[in-house]
Amino acid sequence: MHGFQDVAEGHNELGQDVLVAWLRVSAECWSTTTLLHRTRIVDRFLDHLLKNETIDCNPVTALREACNIKQCMPVWRALASRNPEQTLAELRQPQPFGSVLGEVIAQHVALMRNRGYKYSSQSARLSRFDQFLQLNPALQEQPVGVMLDHWAATKSTRNHAAECENIRRVLAKIYRHRDPSIPLRRPDPRPQKEVAKQWRKPHIYSPADVRRMLDVARSYSSPRSPLRPLAVCTMLCQSSYKMGHQSGLNIGGSGSVA
């Protein structure tokens, strides 16, 4: 802390320059791992000064909020790099719902949550589309259909195609709710059907398969744990008994272990 204070006294205000200068000086004495660990102490010290109103702003917190990230350690790593400005620029994340459609999407998410829906999965999909628009400012002036076409072209997976169709449907409902004169869009079920084709189908074990598993469990070789075959067979037998009881099959109960 004394070293940080000595560096801060050489600057007019407590800002990014002080943090970078302290990291440069400390890097001559400590390894990178130790230096990043010491930054946590500085974090707590700056929070203490801010709480006591000794300083007006915590520069680390300000950089974290400017980059739109939740943790301070990435900010410290960026400041400790050779080019802090470039690393901080690469670290910056788009603001939530900051695109040209951000206000419309945010109002819709708030409306659905006020109605009692959790709306977390749908909000995450809309947020990904909103971030894509922020990273592609050339699309800001394009129609919504063109934006969605470019969004769909970013990936060729079936899940992404289904997500794009979902966003098309949601945005169509949003704009129709705002303007009832807009014609209702007919949803396209094909992307979701393509996704369903790649789902794993359940495997139904026959009574013979279950009996074979029990026989293998009884004969399992375990010299150091003689009771392991009996324990494995008991667990399988209990599970098969529950499944057989629910399905009406007579596969065998716990008495088959003996």
Side-chain angles (χ1 to χ4, degrees), residues 13-65:
E13 60 179 353
L14 183 61
Q16 178 178 336
D17 295 338
V18 176
L19 303 178
V20 174
W22 175 73
L23 289 171
R24 294 281 193 274
V25 173
S26 301
E28 299 176 358
C29 305
W30 299 328
S31 63
T32 304
T33 304
T34 304
L35 178 61
L36 294 177
H37 178 72
R38 295 292 188 270
T39 58
R40 300 180 180 181
I41 302 176
V42 176
D43 276 334
R44 292 193 292 268
F45 175 66
L46 294 175
D47 290 337
H48 173 72
L49 294 180
L50 183 63
K51 184 178 180 181
N52 293 340
E53 299 182 353
T54 306
I55 59 177
D56 297 331
C57 177
N58 185 340
V60 182
T61 304
L63 290 172
R64 177 175 59 82
E65 293 177 351

Side-chain angles (χ1 to χ4, degrees), residues 116-255:
Y117 296 98
K118 190 175 181 180
Y119 218 65
S120 56
S121 300
Q122 194 67 271
S123 176
R125 297 189 190 99
L126 294 171
S127 178
R128 286 192 290 269
F129 177 62
D130 179 82
Q131 291 180 3
F132 168 77
L133 294 179
Q134 293 186 55
L135 296 175
N136 295 270
L139 298 175
Q140 298 287 337
E141 303 297 332
Q142 298 293 331
V144 178
V146 177
M147 297 178 183
L148 290 169
D149 291 339
H150 282 79
W151 170 237
T154 55
K155 297 180 182 178
S156 59
T157 61
R158 297 177 181 179
N159 289 325
H160 184 67
E163 180 173 323
C164 293
E165 173 60 25
N166 179 275
I167 294 178
R168 290 179 188 273
R169 177 177 56 84
V170 172
L171 290 177
K173 288 185 177 181
I174 293 175
Y175 283 104
R176 179 173 172 79
H177 178 76
R178 298 167 67 93
D179 186 3
S181 63
I182 298 177
L184 183 63
R185 177 183 178 273
R186 178 177 296 180
D188 185 4
R190 290 176 296 177
Q192 188 60 37
K193 289 182 179 179
E194 291 295 327
V195 172
K197 289 181 180 179
Q198 64 184 5
W199 291 346
R200 292 183 179 180
K201 297 181 180 179
H203 177 75
I204 306 301
Y205 288 92
S206 65
D209 294 334
V210 177
R211 294 192 187 96
R212 192 178 302 111
M213 285 192 297
L214 295 177
D215 293 339
V216 173
R218 292 191 191 97
S219 61
Y220 184 79
S221 178
S222 181
R224 296 186 179 181
S225 302
L227 295 179
R228 180 175 294 175
L230 184 61
V232 174
C233 185
T234 302
M235 290 187 293
L236 290 175
C237 197
Q238 292 292 340
S239 301
S240 63
Y241 175 76
K242 292 180 180 179
M243 292 187 296
H245 180 73
Q246 293 175 357
S247 60
L249 299 176
N250 186 13
I251 299 175
S254 59

